[in-house]
Amino acid sequence: MNAPTPWPIVDTPNTHGMFMLGTTTLYLCHMPMFCKEDHHYQMTLQVSLDAASMATYLADKAGNPGSAYNLINLDTCQFTLPDLATGAVTTYPAIIYRDYSNDGGGTPSNPIVQSATVTVERVLYYRAFDQNIPRPDNLSYILFGDGQQAHLDHYIAADPDFQHLLTLPEAPNWLSVTQLKAGVLVTFPPPSTPIGCSSPLAPGSYPVQFQGIATATVPLQVGDTFWYSTGNMLNMNDPCASQGAMAMGEPVAVA
């Protein structure tokens, strides 16, 4: 029997899909993969675009408010995620897409900008996956924003897991703008397992724990989901492959 292929330790330059969140401030959330070292990271960036590309994005998003937008660095400018984390790469060209599908291992749909200039303002969140760190008992999310808008990004722990992104109806008033800009963790009542094939959070108000502290329970209003997926090569084996992982909409109520 052939020996298993060793896990590569050194990242290689690659293209990286990033979901776009926000209009007052633009954030990028990396589309991670447990099965590839180059994408073995959860990462959120605060960025800016060149004026023309930002204007196109805002106009297109205004006309398609329920769509997921993402951008991918051009093949001619490949890099590693540690390059972004260390500041070795601070600007790069990317193509911007509206809509996304898990079909075919991840397929962008409608290109709206062929070559946008992305400038990384700061790294808001960066974590390499570690299968030795236990999964949280309850659903945990990274809460971040600029005070005008706020967003949630599900804390991805261990294979199998899911990526869940949404923008809140309003920024929470119990958190300072500085903390919101830095990003904090909040814990929801539902358990983190089993992994479902649709959003575990229906629109409504939830009593969340700030940083998982039971005595720091505060209300958080959740709106519609614009991206939920167990696919796109996030997991070694997609637990929802036979059902088709959901993207955009139809969140289910929590019992």
Side-chain angles (χ1 to χ4, degrees):
M1 178 180 294
N2 293 331
T5 302
W7 183 266
I9 294 176
V10 179
D11 290 3
T12 55
N14 213 320
T15 56
H16 301 279
M18 306 265 187
F19 280 112
M20 305 169 70
L21 287 83
T23 53
T24 55
T25 299
L26 183 60
Y27 300 95
L28 302 181
C29 289
H30 175 239
M31 304 169 72
M33 300 179 186
F34 284 114
C35 54
K36 291 190 176 182
E37 169 58 29
D38 294 350
H39 307 293
H40 206 241
Y41 302 87
Q42 185 165 10
M43 186 178 209
T44 300
L45 306 172
Q46 179 182 323
V47 305
S48 59
L49 303 178
D50 63 276
S53 297
M54 189 64 179
T56 299
Y57 163 67
L58 291 176
D60 199 273
K61 186 173 179 62
N64 302 274
S67 292
Y69 287 77
N70 73 336
L71 60 78
I72 303 173
N73 54 301
L74 301 185
D75 285 331
T76 54
C77 185
Q78 298 188 9
F79 49 77
T80 69
L81 295 180
D83 285 335
L84 294 177
T86 60
V89 171
T90 58
T91 185
Y92 61 90
I95 185 168
I96 299 177
Y97 296 92
R98 178 195 346 113
D99 299 325
Y100 195 87
S101 170
N102 284 322
D103 295 342
T107 307
S109 184
N110 303 304
I112 63 170
V113 178
Q114 293 292 339
S115 184
T117 300
V118 180
T119 299
V120 179
E121 305 289 348
R122 66 188 180 103
V123 178
L124 187 146
Y125 190 81
Y126 173 79
R127 177 175 57 89
F129 295 136
D130 188 334
Q131 295 288 324
N132 287 315
I133 298 176
R135 184 191 306 276
D137 291 334
N138 295 86
L139 290 174
S140 297
Y141 284 75
I142 305 151
L143 168 62
F144 61 94
D146 62 1
Q148 300 179 72
Q149 296 178 328
H151 316 279
L152 287 177
D153 182 7
H154 174 243
Y155 178 92
I156 300 173
D159 188 0
D161 216 322
F162 61 87
Q163 185 172 33
H164 185 198
L165 300 167
L166 55 89
T167 295
L168 300 179
E170 60 183 18
N173 59 12
W174 43 262
L175 194 65
S176 74
V177 174
T178 300
Q179 288 172 291
L180 185 63
K181 287 182 177 180
V184 299
L185 283 171
V186 292
T187 303
F188 285 78
S192 60
T193 56
I195 304 302
C197 297
S198 60
S199 167
L201 300 177
S205 182
Y206 293 81
V208 301
Q209 293 179 352
F210 169 75
Q211 306 289 61
I213 303 169
T215 56
T217 300
V218 287
L220 191 65
Q221 189 72 28
V222 171
D224 293 331
T225 287
F226 81 84
W227 179 259
Y228 179 93
S229 176
T230 59
N232 192 41
M233 300 177 68
L234 168 62
N235 300 301
M236 293 287 187
N237 295 292
D238 181 0
C240 300
S242 61
Q243 301 182 42
M246 184 198 73
M248 298 184 297
E250 300 180 4
V252 297
V254 177

